[in-house]
Each structure stands twice: as structure tokens, then as C-alpha cells.
């Protein structure tokens, strides 16, 4: 399926970019006329994935985080990737309450939050190479993207 | 992100406003911690009414503070009316540690009664 629109963004793994990334994703996705609730779901999930890239992917280093958003007629696909540490055991990492950084007051709920606010979460990762998290969501909006937006 | 403190007897009310994420977690943690260790504080109410956003970083902040409040012999409660934040509190098990209310008066009553 061909996206109706697409954007790519790269930014440094600084915590001040967490708010930036979720605001940008929500602004782009709002072209599909999602409900306020659906938009808030997207903001929350993007925040979780970007925060993970900063805290776990790059730890104390500064690296580049890449975000790709693809819009379809009524759905969105958001890919967030880092070239950081990677995940050894993805299944374990996605378990509720599992965290590799309890001393940093992490609760191990990031993936669970992503899964409960999005339709599907896909994780690809290789230790030493990095991690890509893809978030999928279909919007309930009966309304199709307005014609005037389809230039 | 901002946090304001008021005291009702030995109960500290920590009122959050804005967006609580990893970027602001440490700032908020230090601010609350400074108030919690005061001899005048026993119980704590986290008033999340003014929060427009919170993700799992907020869970870490609340659970970490809760542990310290308990160590000092106090109790804690949450005020929250935002559906999404409430859902995050629920799935992460925070509501098993601290009761959540919609109104400040209910939280105050619960802490003084128990
Ligand atoms: N981008 C990433 N790079 C490397 N490891 C990751 C990445 N994302 C997640 N992980 C691993 O998966 C674990 C679980 O992530 P999750 O977001 O569920 O919890 P957390 O980040 O530890 O805690 P919380 O999100 O509740 O603050 C992390 O502790 C970490 O070990
Ligand atoms: Mg996380």
C-alpha cells in the first residue's frame, strides 16, 4: 500500500527532544482528522519510543534518532530508530514491568503503554547495531482526509 | 512543567502542571524529595489534575517517591481526572499502591480517616 503522505525527521538524543518529537508526530498525523483521544494515544506512544532510544539506546552518549511517519487513508505507521546499544532479548524487554534500569527509577512499562495505546507495536533490534520500533494505528474517523489537503 | 506545594496539617499536596516526561522527571523528583524529608510532612497527595501529559517516566517518579514516603511512615494518594493518565496508572499497578480520587477533599478525607 502506498502512503498518502510521508515525513522523515532526524534529531539528537537529547531529552528536550522528547516533547519536540511527540508534538511533530501529532501535528503530522492530525492531517487524517483523528479524534483528540487518538492523537493523545499517538503522542504518548511516540514519547515512550523516543525516550527509550535516549535512555537505553544511547545511554550516556549522544546519537541520532530517526522518525519516519507514513500516513495512509485512515491509518498511520510511525518508525522510531536508533543506532545504539540494541536489545538482546526482545520478548523479555517487552514484558510488563521488565526494566534493565531499575536504579534509574524506570518502571518497565514503556512497551506496555505503547501496546495499550496503539493497535500494534513491532520491534526489530540487533545488539550493537540499534533498535527500530514501529507503531501502527488505524483511526476511527469516518471522515476521509479532506480533498483540499491532497495536493 | 511546574510543581507547587501546599500543606494541610501534616499532609503535603504536590500539584503538578504541564507535561511530565523523562526530561522533567529529575527536576520533579528533586523538588518533591526536598519537601518529603521535612519533619512537617507525613502524608503526601499527588495532584495530577493540572497535567496535560504523562508517560511511563511519571510512573517511575510516583513509585519512587511512594517508597520514600512509606519509609518515613507516611501514606500517599493521587488526584487524577485525566482518563489516559489514569489508564497508565492502572496498567502499571500504581493504583494498587496508592488510591486515586477525582477531588482533593476525598483524598484528604481518606488520608485522615485511615
Ligand atoms: N531503544 C532501545 N535500545 C536498547 N534497549 C531498549 C530500547 N528500548 C527498550 N529497551 C530495553 O527494553 C526494556 C523495556 O523498555 P520499557 O520502555 O518497557 O521499560 P523502561 O524504559 O525500562 O521503563 P519505563 O519505560 O517504564 O520508564 C528497557 O529497560 C531496555 O532494557
Ligand atoms: Mg521506557
Amino acid at each position: 500500500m502506498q502512503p498518502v503522505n510521508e515525513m522523515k525527521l532526524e534529531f539528537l538524543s537529547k531529552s528536550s527532544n522528547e516533547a519536540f518529537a511527540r508534538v511533530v508526530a501529532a501535528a503530522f498525523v492530525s492531517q487524517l482528522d483523528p479524534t483528540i483521544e487518538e492523537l493523545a494515544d499517538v503522542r504518548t506512544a511516540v514519547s515512550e519510543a523516543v525516550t527509550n532510544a535516549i535512555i537505553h539506546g544511547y545511554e550516556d552518549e549522544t546519537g541520532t534518532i530517526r522518525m519516519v511517519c507514513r500516513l495512509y487513508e485512515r491509518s498511520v505507521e510511525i518508525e522510531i530508530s536508533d543506532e545504539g546499544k540494541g536489545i538482546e532479548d526482545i520478548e523479555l524487554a517487552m514484558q510488563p514491568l521488565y526494566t534493565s534500569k531499575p536504579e534509574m527509577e524506570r518502571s518497565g512499562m514503556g512497551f506496555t503503554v505503547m501496546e495499550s495505546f496503539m493497535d500494534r507495536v513491532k520491534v526489530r533490534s540487533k545488539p550493537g547495531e540499534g533498535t527500530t520500533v514501529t507503531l501502527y494505528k488505524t483511526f476511527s474517523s469516518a471522515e476521509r482526509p479532506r480533498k483540499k489537503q491532497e495536493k | 512543567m511546574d510543581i507547587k506545594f501546599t500543606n494541610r496539617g501534616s499532609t503535603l499536596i504536590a500539584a503538578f502542571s504541564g507535561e511530565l516526561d523523562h526530561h522533567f522527571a529529575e527536576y520533579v523528583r528533586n523538588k518533591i524529595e526536598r519537601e518529603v524529608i521535612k519533619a512537617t510532612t507525613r502524608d503526601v497527595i499527588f495532584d495530577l489534575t493540572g497535567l496535560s501529559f504523562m508517560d511511563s517516566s511519571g510512573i517511575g517518579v510516583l513509585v519512587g517517591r511512594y517508597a520514600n514516603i512509606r519509609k518515613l511512615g507516611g501514606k500517599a494518594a493521587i488526584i487524577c481526572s485525566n482518563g489516559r493518565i489514569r489508564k497508565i496508572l492502572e496498567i502499571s499497578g500504581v493504583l494498587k499502591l496508592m488510591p486515586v480520587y477525582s477531588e482533593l477533599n476525598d483524598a484528604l478525607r481518606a488520608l485522615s480517616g485511615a
Side-chain angles (χ1 to χ4, degrees), chain A residues 47-49 51-53 55-56 98-99 106-111 114, chain B residues 56-57:
Chain A
S47 190
E48 294 292 353
T51 302
N52 279 351
I55 298 177
H56 305 294
Y98 172 81
T99 179
R106 310 314 308 176
S107 61
M109 290 306 295
F111 279 125
M114 289 183 241
Chain B
S56 67
S57 296

Side-chain angles (χ1 to χ4, degrees), chain A residues 50-151:
Chain A
V50 170
T51 302
N52 279 351
I54 293 170
I55 298 177
H56 305 294
Y58 292 117
E59 296 187 303
D60 298 323
E61 288 160 35
T62 303
T64 302
I65 297 171
R66 190 177 146 91
M67 177 163 81
V68 182
C69 296
R70 294 186 193 94
L71 304 184
Y72 299 92
E73 288 293 314
R74 283 180 53 235
S75 64
V76 64
E77 188 182 307
I78 304 172
E79 218 175 80
I80 290 153
S81 39
D82 64 69
E83 290 172 4
K85 190 176 170 205
I87 303 174
E88 297 266 353
D89 184 340
I90 295 174
E91 207 182 315
L92 175 68
M94 292 182 80
Q95 300 267 322
L97 302 176
Y98 172 81
T99 179
S100 54
K101 295 200 187 303
E103 75 289 353
M104 279 184 66
E105 293 196 346
R106 310 314 308 176
S107 61
M109 290 306 295
F111 279 125
T112 308
V113 167
M114 289 183 241
E115 284 181 318
S116 54
F117 291 132
M118 302 298 278
D119 295 340
R120 196 156 69 89
V121 178
K122 198 177 84 187
V123 181
R124 277 178 296 144
S125 188
K126 247 198 184 150
E129 289 184 19
T131 302
T132 298
V133 172
T134 314
L135 307 164
Y136 301 87
K137 194 171 181 74
T138 298
F139 299 118
S140 59
S141 51
E143 215 182 58
R144 288 294 166 104
R146 279 159 294 181
K147 276 281 178 273
K148 64 175 182 191
Q149 289 178 333
E150 297 171 358
K151 286 261 161 70

Side-chain angles (χ1 to χ4, degrees), chain B residues 29-75:
Chain B
R29 175 169 59 224
N30 293 338
K31 283 219 150 189
I32 301 175
E33 211 59 13
R34 228 173 293 149
E35 297 292 324
V36 164
I37 58 171
K38 286 184 182 167
T40 45
T41 302
R42 191 188 59 203
D43 302 330
V44 179
I45 294 174
F46 300 107
D47 181 358
L48 310 184
T49 311
L51 277 188
S52 53
F53 179 88
M54 189 187 92
D55 62 16
S56 67
S57 296
I59 300 298
V61 171
L62 293 175
V63 172
R65 300 299 67 67
Y66 174 77
N68 289 345
I69 293 161
R70 294 294 295 166
K71 255 184 244 159
L72 296 168
K75 299 189 293 288

Side-chain angles (χ1 to χ4, degrees), chain A residues 12-60:
Chain A
L12 292 184
S13 59
K14 292 184 177 292
S15 65
S16 54
N17 284 332
E18 292 156 4
F20 170 71
R22 61 180 184 257
V23 166
V24 169
F28 190 66
V29 163
S30 64
Q31 294 177 22
L32 295 182
D33 279 333
T35 63
I36 291 169
E37 290 297 304
E38 289 167 335
L39 215 49
D41 291 342
V42 169
R43 283 206 303 151
T44 308
V46 166
S47 190
E48 294 292 353
V50 170
T51 302
N52 279 351
I54 293 170
I55 298 177
H56 305 294
Y58 292 117
E59 296 187 303
D60 298 323

